[in-house]
Amino acid sequence: MPPRKRTSARTSSAKAAARSGPRRESTTRASTYGVPELIVIADPAAALRIGVGGVESGGGADTRALNRVVSRAAVTLRPLFGPEERVRQEARQLAPSAIGPVPDLSVYYHVEAPEGDLADLAEELAGTEGVQAAYVKPAGEPPVLNDMQPSPEDAPPSTPDFVGNQLYLEPAPGGVDARYAWTWPGGGGAGVSIVDCEWGWRFDHEDLTVGQGGIVVGTGSTDTNHGTAVIGEISGDRNAFGITGICPDAFIRGAAFSGPTAATIRSAADRLGAGDIILLEIHRAGPRHNFERRDDQLGYIAIEWWPDDFDAIRYANSRGILVVEAAGNGAENLDDQIYSVRPPGFPVSWTNPFNRSNRDSGAVVVGAGAPPPGTHGVSWGADRSRLDFSNYGALIDAQGWGREVTSTGYGDLQGGGDARIWYTNRFSGTSSASPIVVGVLGSLQGALRAAGKTPMTPATARAWLRATGSPQQDEPGRPATQRIGNRPDLRALIQAHVKGNLALDKSTVKDAKDVKIENKEFKNEKAEVKERKEKIEVKEHKNEGKEFKNEGKEFKNEKAEVKERKEKIEVKEHKNEGKEFKNEKAEVKERKEKVEVIEGKNVLVDGGGKNFVVEGGGGGVVIDPVPGAGSAIEARLSALEQSVAALTHFIGADLRPDLGAGALAREADVYGQADSAKHGKDAADGKAGKENLAEG
């Protein structure tokens, strides 16, 4: 299919025409989209700033030569990303929450001058004090291969449903399985913001009425078909007519490259948050053909090769924003050594970013693959094989459909006189491939947010696009070793991250290197969870130990209290026993004193209101009240004798001088045996009581 024709323009200043000597011709030319850009990188140590008197240096650099150059007529030097100190302050504020280092954007400047003077100015500026580099970037263009024209036939009164033509919505391997994503809460991209960076859009299209925020950066071009087709793929309305985007519930806006491209990317990033997405629908002429603009776009490459665009992408990445970048339509092997050769004007420290072992922008880079054969009655080769125009190499992370994409715009599917109802069946290029990957990421991020999970980081998203999906296929002359990556599979991604089934089938794993990266991140997350779990367990164990100690302390206190109470009881019992013993002893003594047995005599004793006659003949004792002492006296004396015998053991030897030592010894033996038995029983009872106490 022949590429779309574009016009070019060249300008020069009167000053340049009048300059004597040979003139260095610029190798870059403007397109209908972008213009060449002269970028200056200041030496960070010079701490340049533009004040009211011109360029000043906070680092002591001599800026007189620089001021002479930029003070010429028709030459203007401006900070590329805004006032220098403000940019530095914003970087300092971002740093604590940033993902990786925040690039120093305060060193970049943009020079406005006639296009024909840019090459000479770059060479002159590069030699001034305080300047590290100065280079001219070729004009940026959208990576598109479209020559469709709107159908002259009038459109029907109502637009038909074209969703059946959108085979990229279907399950893998032919499509990305957007329909499966829609069955999940948030799977339509709800809560996700997207900014498409390019030139023009028709936000008033009939199928782009929901979740469209219009142009928020720059001034849109009057050529709106390309941008309209891009946002239709991503977020076309969910309705009964026309097309439906992969993530129709996302909020999408446009950032126009009407100014320097890097500044546009940075401004887009400032309007988004972590987990949101930027799409870069741009490529430019590379070194293969000396940076010349070409209608066939051969040699065009991804824009991160240029230092200012690279750092603008890094800035967005540091904010947690996913940047999806078209690989370009230059049919280039991005692993070629030509891309490691530092071009004139680049910083001495520059290294090839297409080799990520040198440095990494963090972007997801997308190549163009063939759709399933027979789509719309056409075959472009084996499904998922590299299309001939697509750039390829180790840099490329994933592929999308590069031909036969049905979307809004252009008018070849439905035309007529009103561009607001135009549709296409033939949107192509890495331009059509990149929005498919954006739609996949938008659906995934929406599903993650709806599930209460953290959205993908740029590194994690890129690794999982490499690790899952439908693999690239061979085509004669275009083997799968010319890497454009896998076609994404939303079912695999959602099952892995939203559903939580991280055990991917081996057949879905295509890039061991990136799986290792993701596994490392997962292991780190797992280790962090384990560490947090261990901390929680230690805390719980400490609490349990503390509770155990408290319980032990309480048990000891209770045990001591029981022991104390027991001792008090025993002391009290002993006191009572002692008191009772004293009372009994005193009573016996008193009765003994009253009885006073005197051998061979009769004594009259007062018995507490009763009179007893004690007759001690032969040591026997008879007691009887005086008034009825008659015949019953013997029985009563016998009872008294038994009572006295029962009390005799309470009377110590010192109180019983009437008894001999032998009698007392025999008595002690008898009562000692009784006491021993009693003490044994008491000991057994005490032991049983302690055991019961311990069990309690």
Side-chain angles (χ1 to χ4, degrees):
M1 181 179 295
R4 178 174 182 157
K5 300 292 184 182
R6 296 183 178 85
T7 60
S8 63
R10 296 175 58 189
T11 60
S12 63
S13 66
K15 176 181 66 177
R19 186 183 296 124
S20 60
R23 182 175 181 273
R24 184 169 181 258
E25 189 74 23
S26 174
T27 60
T28 63
R29 292 184 296 157
S31 73
T32 55
Y33 295 100
V35 296
E37 301 174 27
L38 171 52
I39 303 297
V40 172
I41 304 177
D43 182 352
L48 297 184
R49 63 178 298 273
I50 297 179
V52 293
V55 182
E56 304 169 354
S57 171
D62 185 350
T63 61
R64 287 176 295 179
L66 178 58
N67 277 308
R68 281 196 296 271
V69 174
V70 300
S71 63
R72 294 173 187 164
V75 176
T76 304
L77 179 72
R78 290 191 176 92
L80 181 58
F81 297 105
E84 298 91 340
E85 186 50 45
R86 179 172 294 185
V87 172
R88 295 186 191 107
Q89 176 64 23
E90 290 170 351
R92 287 191 292 269
Q93 292 172 348
L94 173 60
S97 61
I99 299 175
V102 180
D104 183 5
L105 302 182
S106 69
V107 299
Y108 287 97
Y109 294 84
H110 176 243
V111 177
E112 294 180 4
E115 185 182 326
D117 293 344
L118 295 181
D120 286 339
L121 283 171
E123 188 174 357
E124 191 172 1
L125 286 167
T128 61
E129 187 173 345
V131 172
Q132 190 179 80
Y135 54 89
V136 179
K137 297 194 308 183
E141 301 179 33
V144 63
L145 299 171
N146 298 309
D147 62 353
M148 298 88 74
Q149 297 297 319
S151 170
E153 298 178 5
D154 289 337
S158 297
T159 298
D161 186 353
F162 297 129
V163 173
N165 293 23
Q166 295 178 268
L167 300 181
Y168 55 88
L169 301 177
E170 299 301 318
V176 298
D177 214 349
R179 297 182 187 279
Y180 176 78
W182 298 342
T183 67
W184 285 81
V192 180
S193 291
I194 301 169
V195 174
D196 174 31
C197 297
E198 51 173 293
W199 282 267
W201 307 262
R202 185 169 288 284
F203 280 103
D204 60 352
H205 192 281
E206 67 168 358
D207 224 354
L208 301 172
T209 63
V210 179
Q212 315 296 327
I215 301 172
V216 293
V217 177
T219 303
S221 166
T222 56
D223 187 345
T224 60
N225 276 317
H226 184 274
T228 303
V230 166
I231 61 176
E233 281 185 77
I234 299 169
S235 64
D237 293 349
R238 197 198 303 262
N239 52 36
F241 63 89
I243 54 92
T244 299
I246 297 173
C247 55
D249 301 326
F251 180 56
I252 194 164
R253 292 167 287 177
F257 286 132
S258 56
T261 57
T264 301
I265 296 168
R266 190 271 173 96
S267 295
D270 286 341
R271 286 162 172 78
L272 298 172
D276 291 334
I277 306 170
I278 287 176
L279 171 59
L280 302 180
E281 284 284 345
I282 180 175
H283 64 173
R284 55 170 52 96
R288 178 70 65 192
H289 300 290
N290 197 29
F291 306 102
E292 286 279 0
R293 181 191 172 275
R294 298 169 60 99
D295 289 341
D296 60 11
Q297 299 184 350
L298 289 175
Y300 279 44
I301 58 176
I303 65 168
E304 68 174 61
W305 197 73
W306 284 267
D308 57 317
D309 291 319
F310 178 90
D311 274 349
I313 294 170
R314 282 182 61 213
Y315 171 79
N317 191 267
S318 72
R319 293 173 59 95
I321 298 165
L322 281 58
V323 179
V324 176
E325 178 185 12
N329 293 351
E332 282 290 305
N333 175 11
L334 300 183
D335 296 330
D336 194 291
Q337 185 59 30
I338 192 173
Y339 298 109
S340 294
V341 177
R342 182 173 64 88
F346 274 27
V348 175
S349 60
W350 178 88
T351 55
N352 176 17
F354 292 167
N355 181 351
R356 285 176 175 162
S357 64
N358 292 330
R359 56 200 184 111
D360 187 355
S361 72
V364 172
V365 183
V366 180
T375 301
H376 303 159
V378 180
S379 179
W380 295 97
D383 184 27
R384 306 185 306 283
S385 62
R386 183 183 73 84
L387 290 167
D388 58 357
F389 60 81
S390 179
N391 289 339
Y392 59 93
L395 178 75
I396 315 301
D397 299 298
Q399 64 165 289
W401 279 29
R403 292 285 189 185
E404 306 303 323
V405 172
T406 301
S407 189
T408 45
Y410 289 103
D412 54 285
L413 178 58
Q414 176 174 288
D418 189 348
R420 294 175 299 176
I421 59 173
W422 286 358
Y423 294 85
T424 180
N425 250 353
R426 297 167 56 197
F427 190 38
S428 303
T430 52
S431 282
S432 66
S434 299
I436 288 179
V437 175
V438 169
V440 165
L441 292 174
S443 292
L444 179 60
Q445 298 289 66
L448 285 168
R449 282 180 167 147
K453 298 187 177 184
T454 304
M456 289 271 188
T457 64
T460 305
R462 190 169 73 182
W464 278 88
L465 285 172
R466 284 178 170 255
T468 61
S470 305
Q472 180 180 346
Q473 301 297 303
D474 290 322
E475 172 67 18
R478 302 193 298 273
T481 53
Q482 297 177 346
R483 179 183 171 85
I484 58 169
N486 307 323
R487 178 179 295 157
D489 180 358
L490 270 167
R491 183 182 295 266
L493 289 168
I494 287 176
Q495 287 183 346
H497 294 281
V498 182
K499 192 175 181 180
N501 179 19
L502 290 175
L504 296 175
D505 186 83
K506 289 183 180 179
S507 64
T508 66
V509 178
K510 311 300 183 305
D511 194 307
K513 181 178 178 181
D514 288 296
V515 172
K516 287 179 181 178
I517 294 172
E518 179 63 18
N519 284 343
K520 185 176 180 182
E521 293 179 359
F522 177 72
K523 285 180 180 178
N524 291 339
E525 292 174 4
K526 189 176 179 182
E528 183 181 348
V529 170
K530 183 180 179 182
E531 182 181 356
R532 293 178 65 187
K533 184 179 178 183
E534 287 174 351
K535 287 181 179 179
I536 292 169
E537 288 177 352
V538 168
K539 188 175 180 181
E540 289 176 351
H541 288 164
K542 286 182 178 179
N543 291 336
E544 289 175 1
K546 188 175 180 182
E547 290 175 2
F548 177 76
K549 287 180 179 179
N550 291 337
E551 289 175 1
K553 188 175 180 181
E554 291 174 2
F555 175 74
K556 286 181 179 179
N557 291 339
E558 290 176 3
K559 188 175 178 182
E561 184 180 348
V562 170
K563 184 178 179 182
E564 183 180 356
R565 291 178 63 186
K566 184 180 178 184
E567 289 174 349
K568 287 181 178 179
I569 291 169
E570 289 176 351
V571 169
K572 187 174 180 180
E573 289 175 351
H574 290 163
K575 285 182 178 180
N576 291 337
E577 288 176 0
K579 187 175 180 180
E580 290 174 1
F581 177 73
K582 287 181 180 179
N583 292 338
E584 291 174 359
K585 188 175 179 182
E587 183 181 349
V588 170
K589 184 178 180 182
E590 181 182 356
R591 293 180 67 182
K592 182 176 178 289
E593 289 173 349
K594 288 182 180 180
V595 172
E596 289 187 3
V597 178
I598 301 174
E599 190 176 350
K601 292 182 179 180
N602 294 327
V603 180
L604 180 64
V605 180
D606 184 359
K610 292 183 178 180
N611 294 324
F612 295 91
V613 176
V614 179
E615 184 176 324
V621 180
V622 179
I623 301 176
D624 194 31
V626 173
S631 62
I633 192 169
E634 289 185 7
R636 294 190 179 186
L637 285 173
S638 178
L640 179 60
E641 183 180 16
Q642 293 173 5
S643 298
V644 171
L647 296 173
T648 303
H649 73 281
F650 291 108
I651 305 172
D654 58 328
L655 298 177
R656 299 173 64 188
D658 55 311
L659 296 179
L664 288 173
R666 287 192 301 271
E667 184 178 83
D669 289 341
V670 172
Y671 288 104
Q673 293 173 5
D675 289 342
S676 178
K678 181 177 182 299
H679 291 323
K681 183 177 183 304
D682 291 344
D685 293 342
K687 182 178 181 181
K690 289 181 180 179
E691 291 175 350
N692 292 336
L693 180 62
E695 291 176 358

